[in-house]
Amino acid sequence: MRSDSIKKGLERAPHRALLHACGLKREDFEKPFIAVINSYNEIVPGHIHLRELVEEVKKGIRSKGGVPFEMNTMAICDGLAMGHNGMHYSLPSREIVADSIELWVQAHSLDGMVLIPSCDKIVPGHLMAAARLNIPSIVITGGPMKPGKFQGEDSDVITVFEAVGKVTSGMMTPEELKSLEQVACPGPGSCAGMFTANTMACVTEALGMSLPGCATAHAVDNKKVALAFETGEQVMLLIEKVILPRDILTKDAFRNAIMVDLALGGSTNTALHLSAIAHELNIDLRLEVFDELSRVTPHLCNMRPGGPFTMEDLDKAGGVPAVMKRLERKLFRKALTVSNKTVGDGLKNATVANEEVIRTLSMPVHWEGGMVILRGNIAPNGSIVKRTAVNENMLVHKGPSRVFDNEESAVAAILGGHIKKGDVVVIRYEGPKGGPGMPEMLVPTSAIAGMGLSDSVALITDGRFSGGTRGPCIGHISPEAFEGGPIALIKDDDIVSIDIPARLIEVELSEDEMELRRKKWFQPTQKMSGYLGRYVKHVSSADKGGILR
């Protein structure tokens, strides 16, 4: 066992003394030592309940002869960080999460890991650590939040973000907004729609790194507690069988996960996160793979924010196993999972309980998947749009640009009524380096939607979007403005042309004019200190996953 290096031999007597201080007995030194990586805290709703799950995981480990050690990672709530300086720290935290797990586990020579994340950057951070360390590992995600109820309809945090725009435009009263605030998020769990956290939970299950049914078992559901105990038991089997993350996280597994994501119409942030996880494995996961699979994977689940269904609806319909059952003939069925079964074996008993929520391949919501990669003279290295959250009348759009060099000025213009039907809002210098940290543009996109403009106004950015964004919003534009990408050359009233079916995003300028503007462009001065100062020096572009090099 790896842990023998801290518990066996004469020279390890001091180490054993320290372990006795932690409550261990002599017989425990013959057992595997398991890291239980908790991300509990008291400010992130998706993580406030994780202590209960951790206790069940530890019981499961002990029941199979292991010794669990609980240790914590950080977690940032993207919703609370949104719209202010805090959002610059969200994506960079992913690397801190992964690095902290590496430091914990390597310093203490632990034999296996149970990873317990919930929200947006924490899930990929945990998966990156599993891929990097390659010791027996299993994930249990914290589970979705139940939807709230407001005026007889389902609600969630995106309902509240969009309500700000409704109040601004007179479509809702301030008193109604106050009432909505109190009921939209009724308890623990990751936000109730197919936003980034829940997309990553589904992707984790599709990758084979969590037990069947884990992604959609809700935070307050007894199923989640039972799954936590089973997860603790299962990590011991993985140690016994020497099943490692790199046996599971293969190229085939990534393609399975992408197809499930596309069928669900999930968050565009998965392009960043899956690429970052693949990088840990030396797998080159390019944007072309997402686009290739999007063309042959139908969109089967009309989930919020683009559709009416919540994670609760998906869970009742059969969850990720039911979605994979629909896609079975397209999937790589020999891929291994933490269940010690192949994907194909695991799907033998999977069924679909609701065909409205999980459509058939012959009657999909859309014939192509949820994510589309656009290129053109604005985005030579690619950009991303959630095609399934765009109304049909905006799939092709042409309009004058309204250019902003930061999110704050764009929000002020939107809420101030300065954006008109037909406009294309351009928000730049918000990429991995320029932001820095590639902030999410949920506040401006929600303001546009809330003011009733998402059917007539497009938004493009080198930043990224929340999984809760809907409308013709194109992000991850690469190269970014701070690196001199073409988005930096756009001026007010330039005509921007977007053709999602044709995978094109262009500004109607000649190459001579572009070159003239390029010669006049200069990189803005950026004064950064602390972690962000170090981050800017090493972060890659969005099309490479925003990883640190």
Side-chain angles (χ1 to χ4, degrees), residues 41-80:
N41 62 62
E42 293 184 336
I43 196 169
V44 183
H47 293 245
I48 58 176
H49 64 298
L50 296 184
R51 277 180 171 170
E52 180 184 4
L53 298 185
V54 163
E55 290 308 312
E56 292 300 315
V57 166
K58 290 193 282 189
K59 289 177 186 176
I61 291 169
R62 292 188 186 107
S63 76
K64 295 296 183 180
V67 181
F69 293 93
E70 181 182 345
M71 45 201 71
N72 283 74
T73 62
M74 64 165 295
I76 286 176
C77 175
D78 276 22
L80 290 172

Side-chain angles (χ1 to χ4, degrees), residues 22 30 44 47 90 94 100 159 170 187 200 210 223 252 256 285 314 335 351 440 447 511:
C22 297
E30 304 303 318
V44 183
H47 293 245
S90 172
R94 183 186 69 185
S100 68
T159 314
M200 283 306 305
S210 60
K223 286 193 300 184
D252 289 350
N256 285 345
L285 192 63
L314 181 61
T351 58
E440 290 183 349
E511 184 51 44

